[in-house]
Amino acid sequence: MAAVFPRADYRTVEPTVLAGTSKTTCFTVGDEGDDWADVASIHIVGAGTAKVHVKVSSNGTEREFNDDVTVVAGYPHHIECYPLHLEAGGTIAVEGEADQVVWITLLRGQGDSEG
């Protein structure tokens, strides 16, 4: 993996608990010194409706990634995203119910500083 993606890290971002009052930013490229991210999946747990919003770069326009989905209690809603590529300043935000929990799995990395 390192030979294909030098200076990259595959991980699940710490879960975000939604407040339920408005859209909550769950991930921003650059928060941990990364230059880019390829989003593999988004998981939403907790009953109610939810909608994902994505901005692919700092100068991009935020767009709805999916229509409202209904998440059933006890059954996580899973959204396959790969390959959703985000550049520096790109964000993933979720609009949902209070106490819904969002997990994001992605490959994040830094630019190649060599030649």
Side-chain angles (χ1 to χ4, degrees), residues 6-89:
R7 304 175 66 189
D9 180 25
Y10 183 79
R11 64 165 43 194
T12 298
V13 177
E14 288 295 319
T16 302
V17 179
L18 302 182
T21 55
S22 62
K23 184 173 46 185
T24 301
T25 300
C26 301
F27 173 72
T28 302
V29 177
D31 279 357
E32 293 185 20
D34 46 336
D35 296 327
W36 56 268
D38 287 338
V39 181
S41 62
I42 300 170
H43 307 274
I44 304 169
V45 178
T49 59
K51 184 183 295 188
V52 176
H53 302 265
V54 172
K55 184 170 74 166
V56 297
S57 66
S58 59
N59 61 353
T61 301
E62 185 177 83
R63 306 275 187 206
E64 291 180 6
F65 188 71
N66 66 319
D67 292 330
D68 283 335
V69 295
T70 300
V71 181
V72 178
Y75 295 93
H77 182 74
H78 177 78
I79 303 168
E80 290 285 337
C81 302
Y82 198 74
L84 173 59
H85 181 75
L86 304 179
E87 292 290 335

